[in-house]
Amino acid sequence: MRFRGIYQIVFPVLLILSFGLTSSVMAEEMTAQTDFVDLDGDGIDDNETDNDGNSIPDCFEGKDGDFEPVEVRSILGNVFNSEKSLKDPVDLRTNTDKFGSLAFKARGLPQRCCGFGTQDEFGSESGLGISSGSGGCAGGVCVR
Amino acid sequence: MKHQLGIFLLGIFCLILNSQPAYGADAGIGFQLQRGTSESLFGDSTNTFDTHTTSQLEIKYYPISKIELKLSGSHTYYHETSGLSNMFGQFGITLIPLSETSPVILQVSGNLNGAVYHREFDNYDNNYAEGEILMGYQFSPTALFKTGLSVRSTAYINSETGDKRDVQFFAGGNLTLPGKNSLNLETGFATTNYTHKDNIFFEDSIAPGNLYPTRYKDWRLAWVGQSESDLWSFYISPRLSRPLGLKSGINITYIIRNFQNYDHSLLLGFTTEYLSPWSTVWEGENITAKLKSYLIPRTILEAGIGYWDRVFLKTIESTFVFYINAKNDPARQDWQVRYFINAQWPLLSHGGLYFEPNLRINYTKNRSNKPVYRYSDYSIAVGLSIRL
């Protein structure tokens, strides 16, 4: 193992510790919420809904959380088979939506860093291919 | 020859699209356009300025709810060094077989990729295939264990060097701590097997550490023989993230990784940072802090600062400049600081069209023990993303 100065280890640890201590104060400002989960590491609760699909959580746009999700609805209007419909809700979602739900659940699985063929998860990663496709970066944009 | 991969991928996708669709099968399409400039395109002391325009089309198809097929193609045009303009194609499949309610999460994916350059730079043409198996176990809504294995094989079609095969294994977890702090810890092992050739310099006047015109490469350097090397690397990376106020979040990430058995082989790096197969292979440390905020209405703002202290493999750079590292020279060591700001303005039409203008600004300052790698780069790009 090659360590270039112990300060390089101590500094990040101190930084992270101080970050955690100050964060407890800021946390008081937040509204009470259960099961806070942040698998993508952006510091924002992954469970915040975005029902209109514009990439901005509804609660940050002043929208209430009572929006009826489209995922699962009973076919209440089906007079020919209303009893079955009420007991067994039909999933009316498209395959895109269903796969999106599975992908959301699997969002925490990918390797974050340090493969020999991947760039750092940092900077203006637009996913656009202005580089070689061999894992390089150019002009501040990285191919992944 | 160079277009065969693209035609093959397109053929596969057309076959899938034309097959009998399952109930609920549907597709999505996305388009991105970006134009930007960079003051140091190659990330070296030549400070090569260029402007680029990139367009990308991506089609996703879901034959059943657990499978995603993806076909994408992009073209990048470089306004100053037009010979670098290239096309990049990818065909990918992702399978997530288990149900949403299962505590076990499994994801299997594979990709075929190809990059094609203009004739004068066809040494960079490359194909790579990659496969990945990821598995996770959800102990509770706030505790996740994950592990994964990936394999990637890269082939440079028209070059004698650069081919490599990477195998990576990693494990880690994510845990929500009191106070809405989230800790993510990841550790892993990676190995790369690469083919390299010995090099012979015909004249002693070639001095390591100096820059020479590219033409020197052809009559003062020869590649002979062929050998294989294995490089092993371990890493560990903690990440701490948490909300910052009501509409923002922040994370701090630290990475340390070390080579275990580098044999100091000299490799053909092509160019310093840009196209080199080896620019992503380094040992050292890295710490970054990133902020994401929704404070400005209808705007997603991201900003970050990062510091890298890393040592690279020894390479001979040979496209726009000719630069030699001697085998007994100290390895290249860089100290880099990078800042970035991204802003996105997502809009949604009544018809469901997603429309997102964006702006990306980067600044990089790189110091190195080798003069050729000392540079600073300011880059800016504006883009537009559309999804149907």
Side-chain angles (χ1 to χ4, degrees):
Chain A
M1 296 279 280
R2 185 183 50 79
F3 292 101
R4 291 178 299 280
I6 193 165
Y7 74 94
Q8 291 183 344
I9 305 295
V10 171
F11 172 69
V13 173
L14 286 176
L15 196 60
I16 289 173
L17 284 176
S18 61
F19 177 70
L21 289 173
T22 54
S23 66
S24 62
V25 178
M26 291 182 284
E28 298 300 322
E29 300 169 7
M30 301 293 294
T31 54
Q33 217 169 9
T34 57
D35 290 348
F36 178 91
V37 177
D38 181 24
L39 293 182
D40 57 9
D42 63 1
I44 292 163
D45 191 354
D46 297 345
N47 293 316
E48 297 289 3
T49 55
D50 176 26
N51 285 311
D52 59 7
N54 72 346
S55 303
I56 299 176
D58 297 333
C59 63
F60 298 156
E61 297 182 291
K63 297 172 184 171
D64 61 36
D66 297 332
F67 184 89
E68 184 187 2
V70 295
E71 293 87 35
V72 180
R73 293 180 192 145
S74 297
I75 307 178
L76 297 173
N78 186 344
V79 295
F80 300 105
N81 196 8
S82 58
E83 189 176 343
K84 183 177 188 307
S85 299
L86 286 169
K87 285 181 180 173
D88 305 312
V90 175
D91 191 344
L92 293 178
R93 294 177 299 170
T94 63
N95 283 345
T96 304
D97 293 332
K98 290 176 188 172
F99 187 86
S101 296
L102 291 169
F104 176 75
K105 190 175 181 190
R107 71 195 180 285
L109 296 187
Q111 188 178 16
R112 275 200 287 113
C113 66
C114 307
F116 279 140
T118 54
Q119 287 289 343
D120 314 301
E121 282 190 355
F122 187 82
S124 297
E125 295 152 357
S126 69
L128 288 189
I130 77 159
S131 183
S132 60
S134 62
C137 278
V141 181
C142 304
V143 170
R144 306 189 65 72
Chain B
M1 181 69 183
K2 64 176 66 171
H3 299 297
Q4 286 180 351
L5 178 68
I7 293 168
F8 172 71
L9 298 179
L10 191 63
I12 288 177
F13 205 74
C14 288
L15 277 174
I16 292 167
L17 284 175
N18 285 318
S19 62
Q20 184 65 35
Y23 175 75
D26 53 357
I29 188 167
F31 176 74
Q32 292 188 73
L33 186 67
Q34 188 182 74
R35 185 180 173 97
T37 63
S38 172
E39 287 184 338
S40 183
L41 182 68
F42 304 124
D44 63 27
S45 61
T46 61
N47 291 323
T48 307
F49 174 86
D50 215 327
T51 302
H52 65 266
T53 304
T54 300
S55 52
Q56 182 190 53
L57 183 67
E58 182 176 84
I59 301 168
K60 290 179 177 176
Y61 179 64
Y62 303 88
I64 61 173
S65 62
K66 296 179 188 303
I67 292 179
E68 178 189 78
L69 301 171
K70 184 173 76 172
L71 182 69
S72 71
S74 65
H75 179 263
T76 299
Y77 176 70
Y78 289 91
H79 296 249
E80 303 292 330
T81 313
S82 57
L84 271 176
S85 302
N86 62 80
M87 288 190 292
F88 179 71
Q90 181 184 62
F91 172 72
I93 181 167
T94 302
L95 168 69
I96 306 178
L98 303 179
S99 76
E100 292 175 52
T101 54
S102 169
V104 179
I105 313 164
L106 184 64
Q107 179 173 314
V108 183
S109 59
N111 290 300
L112 293 172
N113 309 269
V116 177
Y117 290 79
H118 281 194
R119 186 175 302 166
E120 59 194 290
F121 290 100
D122 64 3
N123 270 351
Y124 303 147
D125 292 358
N126 68 81
N127 294 329
Y128 65 90
E130 53 191 354
E132 186 176 55
I133 298 175
L134 304 172
M135 196 169 72
Y137 187 82
Q138 194 95 45
F139 290 101
S140 76
T142 57
L144 171 76
F145 168 79
K146 65 174 182 176
T147 185
L149 178 71
S150 64
V151 179
R152 172 170 164 158
S153 181
T154 307
Y156 281 78
I157 303 163
N158 302 315
S159 176
E160 293 184 83
T161 65
D163 295 359
K164 58 179 179 172
R165 187 174 62 251
D166 308 326
V167 180
Q168 296 164 49
F169 171 79
F170 74 95
N174 198 92
L175 186 67
T176 301
L177 303 173
K180 295 185 178 177
N181 293 293
S182 186
L183 174 67
N184 188 296
L185 185 65
E186 190 176 293
T187 184
F189 166 78
T191 177
T192 185
N193 173 275
Y194 53 92
T195 303
H196 57 90
K197 293 172 177 289
D198 299 322
N199 51 77
I200 294 176
F201 298 103
F202 295 122
E203 293 189 20
D204 294 336
S205 59
I206 293 288
N210 292 325
L211 287 175
Y212 295 95
T214 308
R215 64 178 184 277
Y216 274 46
K217 181 188 69 171
D218 299 328
W219 52 279
R220 295 194 174 181
L221 170 69
W223 296 93
V224 296
Q226 183 157 304
S227 313
E228 285 194 3
S229 289
D230 278 308
L231 178 66
W232 295 0
S233 169
F234 285 99
Y235 76 90
I236 185 164
S237 173
R239 181 188 71 197
L240 192 63
S241 60
R242 60 153 295 105
L244 188 69
L246 289 174
K247 293 186 177 181
S248 304
I250 190 170
N251 77 47
I252 292 178
T253 305
Y254 174 71
I255 297 167
I256 182 167
R257 68 178 186 180
N258 292 98
F259 296 152
Q260 302 299 307
N261 58 346
Y262 177 38
D263 61 7
H264 298 276
S265 304
L266 273 172
L267 300 159
L268 186 60
F270 294 113
T271 62
T272 43
E273 286 283 337
Y274 173 59
L275 292 167
S276 173
W278 314 111
S279 65
T280 56
V281 183
W282 54 269
E283 66 170 341
E285 294 164 87
N286 162 226
I287 185 163
T288 60
K290 286 198 283 190
L291 170 77
K292 185 174 186 178
S293 178
Y294 298 92
L295 272 175
I296 303 171
R298 292 182 290 279
T299 302
I300 304 171
L301 193 67
E302 290 178 282
I305 179 171
Y307 175 76
W308 285 257
D309 177 353
R310 47 188 174 177
V311 174
F312 293 85
L313 303 182
K314 291 179 182 175
T315 54
I316 294 174
E317 317 291 359
S318 67
T319 296
F320 293 91
V321 292
F322 181 43
Y323 180 84
I324 299 170
N325 273 291
K327 196 161 184 172
N328 55 357
D329 273 356
R332 167 192 174 190
Q333 183 170 9
D334 285 12
W335 302 270
Q336 185 178 92
V337 179
R338 216 186 299 168
Y339 309 87
F340 81 91
I341 296 177
N342 296 343
Q344 300 160 257
W345 295 275
L347 304 165
L348 206 63
S349 76
H350 292 295
L353 181 73
Y354 181 88
F355 185 85
E356 181 209 279
N358 52 64
L359 170 70
R360 301 170 193 278
I361 301 171
N362 265 278
Y363 177 75
T364 302
K365 178 73 176 175
N366 198 72
R367 294 185 298 120
S368 176
N369 62 345
K370 312 269 184 186
V372 70
Y373 302 113
R374 293 173 193 160
Y375 69 93
S376 61
D377 177 36
Y378 172 72
S379 64
I380 184 167
V382 291
L384 177 66
S385 296
I386 298 173
R387 285 204 308 262
L388 291 171

